[in-house]
Amino acid sequence: GAVVSQHPSRVICKSGTSVKIECRSLDFQATTMFWYRQFPKQSLMLMATSNEGSKATYEQGVEKDKFLINHASLTLSTLTVTSAHPEDSSFYICSAAGLGTSDEQFFGPGTRLTVL
Amino acid sequence: AQSVTQLDSQVPVFEEAPVELRCNYSSSVSVYLFWYVQYPNQGLQLLLKYLSGSTLVESINGFEAEFNKSQTSFHLRKPSVHISDTAEYFCAVSDGDFGNEKLTFGTGTRLTIIP
């Protein structure tokens, strides 16, 4: 299957700083990328959907000014957590779908964010 | 709105025994159902999916799931589990059959195989 990578896999930052997480589709062109957040022992919650070259569509309750999403190319989407606080600590997962992947989304391995 | 309920958060099973992981959904539109597996320290991988046609779908590693519209269920089964099946299993629903449709996930079931 197609491969999606995320970088970094783990990040620890101080409260008030910003953190950028990258999501890359390695062997296909991702026209659509999704960003999820997963709390311990809970489900993956969709945060936003981004289409290449367009503004992201955020789910209800997700602050777009806090979670900045950029999908500038067909292989890269970034999620920037601005002015991070301890309550932003979570597991962030991206998925991608696009040309050649038909009816399947491919998931990245996730990024563990810890805000001190 | 769509939702998915996975009633069992953890399921311990002896090796070579059968297993069933339960999934119930609610949806007001046409439904497309998925099971994803997450092995330790890895991303989610698609295990199997129901889009249309036969209500019984199978994966390449022996799992199967049956779409039951009247019971709004999509339970996952395997007749004989192996140690390598230890993982977290997520049921998901979508209202579209293309990859660019958003997924709604259940809370997951951790399957632990006991030697």
Side-chain angles (χ1 to χ4, degrees), chain B residues 28-57:
Chain B
S28 59
V29 295
S30 297
V31 65
Y32 305 90
L33 295 156
F34 306 81
W35 274 100
Y36 283 84
V37 58
Q38 186 177 31
Y39 297 106
N41 301 315
Q42 295 186 31
L44 275 74
Q45 301 173 32
L46 181 65
L47 188 61
L48 46 76
K49 60 190 175 188
Y50 168 77
L51 302 180
S52 63
S54 173
T55 56
L56 183 65
V57 291

Side-chain angles (χ1 to χ4, degrees), chain B residues 3-96:
Chain B
S3 68
V4 177
T5 302
Q6 290 182 250
L7 293 171
D8 307 304
S9 60
Q10 296 188 60
V11 174
V13 180
F14 285 103
E15 192 173 15
E16 297 184 3
V19 69
E20 177 180 86
L21 307 183
R22 296 180 291 173
C23 172
N24 289 89
Y25 68 90
S26 66
S27 175
S28 59
V29 295
S30 297
V31 65
Y32 305 90
L33 295 156
F34 306 81
W35 274 100
Y36 283 84
V37 58
Q38 186 177 31
Y39 297 106
N41 301 315
Q42 295 186 31
L44 275 74
Q45 301 173 32
L46 181 65
L47 188 61
L48 46 76
K49 60 190 175 188
Y50 168 77
L51 302 180
S52 63
S54 173
T55 56
L56 183 65
V57 291
E58 299 177 348
S59 72
I60 58 173
N61 57 355
F63 282 94
E64 64 178 30
E66 185 161 19
F67 170 55
N68 189 318
K69 188 174 182 179
S70 63
Q71 297 186 6
T72 60
S73 68
F74 191 56
H75 301 330
L76 181 70
R77 302 184 183 95
K78 188 171 185 179
S80 176
V81 294
H82 189 266
I83 289 287
S84 60
D85 293 324
T86 296
E88 187 95 21
Y89 292 80
F90 292 92
C91 183
V93 63
S94 171
D95 59 6

